[in-house]
Amino acid sequence: MSEPASQAVAPPQGGAALSHRQILLVISGLMLGMLLAALDMTIMGVATKTIADELHGQTIQAWVTTAYLITSTISTPLYGKLSDIYGRKPMYMAAIGLFLIGSVLAGFSQSMYELAAFRAVQGLGAGGLMSLVLAIIADIVSPRERGRYMGYFMSVWGASSVIGPVVGGFFAGVDTFAGIAGWRWVFLVNIPVGIVGLIVVFRNLNLPHRKVDHRIDYWGAATLTAGLVPLLIVAEQGREWGWGSGAALTMYLIGAIGIAAFVFAESRMGDEALIPLRLFRFSVFSLSNVINFIMGLGMFGMMMSLPLYLQIVKGASPTEAGLLTLPMTAGILTAAMTSGRIIARTGRYKVFPVIGLGLVAAAMFLFGQIGTDTPLWWTMVIMTLAGGGLGLCMQTLVLSVQNVVPPKDMGVATSSATFFRSIGGTVGTAVFLSMLFTVVIDRLAGFARGGAGLDLNDTSFLNAMSPEQKRPILDAFSHGIDVVFTVGGVVILVAFALIWFLKEVPLSMKSGIERRNDEDGVVAEATPAAVN
């Protein structure tokens, strides 16, 4: 990352393949962007409870996560489309910049609602951080060889899974640091990482790009927002409003109209649509994204519930809770890297999501049996099983999509895979957290004068209670989490049934740049494309 300017990556001529060294230099910038997103995710995973207690908003913490997921989800396909038009580099730098602005604002939030709004700004940047990384890798590495380089990105997730809980736990556990409340550094720590990332991306992310004159699908973005936001709001507020209340029914209606308007707008825009409908003619694209949605639904519900179980029921500190989830991370890394190497050697990939979804479903049902007295070692065994299943699924489903779409659609197709998984995650987070607190409140209805003396917005009151006093509360949380995992297991079973119908298309040996070069009939001596 400290090479002199003369060693910065030069764009390949005429769409030729990049050398191994050039690919590594490009990856160095992508890894820092991914580190930014990964650290934020792992730090927030252990610090959310403390932040919610500090801002007195434990029961509305889903708004913070949901706001982030809404904006990151909606912006994801927009990044994909704009990067196909204007190039990957400017869009990736814009994503990092927006994420940093959101981090600064979130670091100075005064309420949970302010934090939710500023996390939404962060989400606008996060929508490009992950999807554009996958699109750029598809540009420069063939599907068959992609597993050779995925280990670098897996190492980023591995490092963030160790560093994130420690950093997040430290800041969440100290009252002040450098004169600023400790929890605020959960967001401010992103600033130095992001600045270094911007510098490295500016120097090294130089890829050939043929600018295409297209209209921006503003109507698609607007109608998609109009369709998704009401549905996500009712998923979050349905417990308080009543699922059949007038407010909820209004949200259902607005959401349905918005989605119908989105489909109509996309059909009118044709190839310039945010998500071109012609891509759904590829059965692999359609089915993979349905499975991505379902997997995101169950996966995010699991990832949000586990830290709450470890911190509230098991009494772990934020740092301890983060470190206790390392078995899941180890399972993801091991399975993803192993399957990547096997795919590179054999060219076969369908077997991995089949096994992976089976493992995730089994893990979810096992999680549904854990209780207040379940030993931690058994919970960690189940985490390893769940991680292994996720590691076998995540990259192979994206790979299956990238392998069948035309190279000119690589950005929008890749972002679509991320988009549908994120939509599932957004819905899963809102619905499962709402479900969790509904069950907990119902279980506590007969406790403390009908539950009137308990304020679940700030669970720190548990620290002052004796084991006998807090046992009913811990059992209620444990039961609620069991319900979440059991329902999540049923959801994953649906994905497991569908994956058997996925058609395995032989993997290409050419990168996206080479495939586009072949389609356009560009020879190696042709005038170089613009660099973006």
Side-chain angles (χ1 to χ4, degrees), residues 40 96-110 114-115 118-119 121-122 180 183-192 195:
D40 179 76
I96 295 176
L98 277 172
F99 192 87
L100 292 183
I101 292 171
S103 297
V104 173
L105 293 173
F108 293 98
S109 301
Q110 301 299 316
E114 276 191 18
L115 180 60
F118 297 145
R119 285 288 283 172
V121 178
Q122 272 189 299
I180 299 175
W183 67 265
R184 298 186 185 278
W185 286 97
V186 166
F187 306 102
L188 300 179
V189 74
N190 292 328
I191 307 305
I195 291 174

Side-chain angles (χ1 to χ4, degrees), residues 227-247:
L228 290 181
V229 171
L231 297 179
L232 295 170
I233 288 175
V234 75
E236 163 61 24
Q237 293 295 302
R239 174 173 57 86
E240 295 184 13
W241 292 350
W243 299 105
S245 66

Side-chain angles (χ1 to χ4, degrees), residues 301-314:
M302 173 175 62
M303 289 182 169
M304 290 302 299
S305 299
L306 268 178
L308 292 176
Y309 171 78
L310 293 171
Q311 292 183 62
I312 295 176
V313 179
K314 288 301 185 180

Side-chain angles (χ1 to χ4, degrees), residues 33-34 37-38 41 92 125-135 157 414 418:
M34 182 171 280
M41 186 179 298
Y92 197 57
L129 289 179
M130 296 302 297
S131 61
L132 290 181
V133 165
L134 298 174
W157 283 103
T414 303
T418 308

Side-chain angles (χ1 to χ4, degrees), residues 106-175:
F108 293 98
S109 301
Q110 301 299 316
S111 70
M112 284 294 280
Y113 290 109
E114 276 191 18
L115 180 60
F118 297 145
R119 285 288 283 172
V121 178
Q122 272 189 299
L124 289 175
L129 289 179
M130 296 302 297
S131 61
L132 290 181
V133 165
L134 298 174
I136 292 166
I137 289 299
D139 284 339
I140 63 178
V141 181
S142 72
R144 183 72 176 264
E145 293 296 319
R146 213 157 289 160
R148 179 185 178 191
Y149 295 97
M150 288 307 295
Y152 295 103
F153 297 102
M154 293 297 102
S155 68
V156 171
W157 283 103
S160 67
S161 298
V162 176
I163 298 171
V166 174
V167 173
F170 171 75
F171 288 132
V174 298
D175 292 332

